[in-house]
């Protein structure tokens, strides 16, 4: 991946506008993909069976937790409408100001969200606040600033994390990494990402059609089982990682 790019400072307002402009049209044209279709399901099914107090933040139309008996929070009106249509409990909100009481959940999920907010300290503080003692946090983040590309900025990323940074940040808010797995469905080809970015910029409607009806179904079908390792593990060359954390 190119190494000469770096994220430019972005305000909360800029990030919010970028995320809305990218994801609201995406969810408007998308169908909900049930959580059973993702390679996270074996882990999620096991964890969900142990807890009926569950929260997933910003799932869009790709929820990983069961739709029944899970609380969902999202900014997208389209995503909320379609989640509710499937019987889910979904409310409008942000990771920086969760509309729930302290220590309310035993299982909290935030997939592909922390890198989208300017105040990640505040976001993790909110996750820690609503998580009960001993709760499990499922968190995925992109790694390595050297892997930054213009596509990160295009999809509303604020940063990529160095492994020691995310470890220290989680520890500061009372979370210990128990296990991890290489994660994500982003194409490895920088050329494909450039083509995708061009179409999303200049021919958005056509790009959304292809993404939702062709590329996303193929990506889901080609997922490999997650390979778990203790702690953070070796992150050399890893683009994105899924962390299973415990609130200590």
């Amino acid at each position: 991946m190119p190494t000469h790019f770096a994220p430019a400072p972005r305000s909360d307002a800029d990030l919010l506008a970028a995320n809305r402009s990218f994801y609201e049209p995406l969810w408007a044209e998308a169908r909900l993909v049930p959580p059973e279709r993702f390679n996270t399901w074996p882990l999620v099914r096991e964890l969900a069976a142990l807890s009926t107090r569950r929260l997933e933040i910003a799932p869009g139309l790709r929820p990983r937790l069961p739709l029944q008996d899970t609380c969902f929070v999202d900014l997208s009106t389209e995503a909320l409408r379609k989640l509710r249509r499937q019987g889910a409990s979904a409310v409008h909100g942000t990771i920086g100001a969760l509309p729930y009481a302290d220590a309310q959940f035993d299982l909290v999920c935030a997939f592909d969200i922390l890198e989208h907010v300017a105040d990640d300290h505040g976001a993790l503080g909110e996750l820690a606040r609503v998580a009960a003692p001993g709760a499990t946090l499922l968190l995925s983040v992109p790694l390595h600033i050297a892997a930054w590309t213009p596509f990160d900025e295009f999809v509303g990323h604020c940063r990529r994390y160095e492994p020691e940074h995310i470890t220290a940040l989680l520890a500061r808010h009372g979370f210990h990494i128990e296990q991890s797995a290489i994660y994500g469905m982003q194409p490895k080809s920088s050329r494909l990402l450039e083509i995708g970015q061009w179409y999303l910029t200049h021919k958005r409607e056509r790009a959304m059609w292809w993404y939702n009806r062709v590329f996303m179904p193929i990506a889901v079908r080609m997922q490999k089982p997650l390979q778990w390792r203790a702690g953070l593990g070796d992150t050399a060359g890893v683009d994105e990682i899924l962390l299973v954390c415990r609130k200590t």
Side-chain angles (χ1 to χ4, degrees):
M1 299 289 285
T3 60
H4 56 282
F5 298 107
R10 306 174 79 180
S11 68
D12 284 320
D14 289 339
L15 289 164
L16 186 62
N19 282 301
R20 278 180 169 160
S21 67
F22 183 83
Y23 289 101
E24 194 69 27
L26 177 66
W27 302 141
E29 300 297 329
R31 297 175 181 174
L32 189 146
V33 180
E36 298 86 354
R37 296 282 307 279
F38 294 101
N39 61 359
T40 49
W41 182 245
L43 170 69
V44 164
R45 179 177 54 194
E46 179 181 338
L47 293 172
L50 302 175
S51 172
T52 57
R53 303 196 303 165
R54 305 188 295 258
L55 171 66
E56 184 168 357
I57 301 153
L61 295 178
R62 311 288 184 253
R64 300 310 201 272
L65 292 189
L67 295 181
Q68 301 301 318
D69 300 319
T70 297
C71 296
F72 295 97
V73 175
D74 207 290
L75 270 176
S76 167
T77 56
E78 283 291 335
L80 291 171
R81 182 173 62 85
K82 293 179 180 180
L83 284 165
R84 291 168 183 157
R85 186 185 296 168
Q86 297 297 319
S89 174
V91 300
H92 187 271
T94 68
I95 193 173
L98 296 171
Y100 299 105
D102 296 357
Q104 189 167 341
F105 299 102
D106 299 312
L107 176 57
V108 179
C109 293
F111 290 85
D112 304 314
I113 179 63
L114 203 61
E115 64 273 17
H116 288 267
V117 296
D119 183 11
D120 55 350
H121 288 279
L124 272 173
E126 276 292 273
L127 296 180
R129 181 183 66 80
V130 300
T136 298
L137 169 66
L138 300 183
L139 181 75
S140 67
V141 293
L143 294 180
H144 306 302
I145 188 61
W148 182 272
T149 72
F151 196 78
D152 285 283
E153 184 170 358
F154 182 74
V155 297
H157 287 180
C158 184
R159 68 185 67 80
R160 282 175 170 266
Y161 288 91
E162 297 303 334
E164 62 274 13
H165 180 199
I166 190 62
T167 302
L169 189 59
L170 285 164
R172 185 179 304 177
H173 292 279
F175 291 107
H176 169 71
I177 301 173
E178 291 189 334
Q179 56 181 335
S180 65
I182 298 173
Y183 181 67
M185 294 188 290
Q186 178 174 300
K188 295 185 181 299
S189 168
S190 59
R191 179 59 179 160
L192 281 177
L193 291 176
E194 289 171 2
I195 293 172
Q197 183 175 340
W198 187 90
Y199 270 92
L200 284 166
T201 301
H202 301 285
K203 296 183 180 294
R204 179 180 288 270
E205 186 175 344
R206 179 181 296 181
M208 293 298 185
W209 190 96
W210 278 93
Y211 174 81
N212 286 311
R213 291 168 175 79
V214 180
F215 298 127
M216 186 64 191
I218 290 174
V220 169
R221 201 169 296 122
M222 293 181 64
Q223 292 175 104
K224 297 178 181 179
L226 295 173
Q227 301 295 317
W228 295 102
R229 63 267 186 100
L232 189 60
D234 182 11
T235 62
V238 175
D239 181 75
E240 185 173 5
I241 198 160
L242 173 58
L243 305 170
V244 181
C245 309
R246 183 76 58 189
K247 185 179 179 184
T248 57

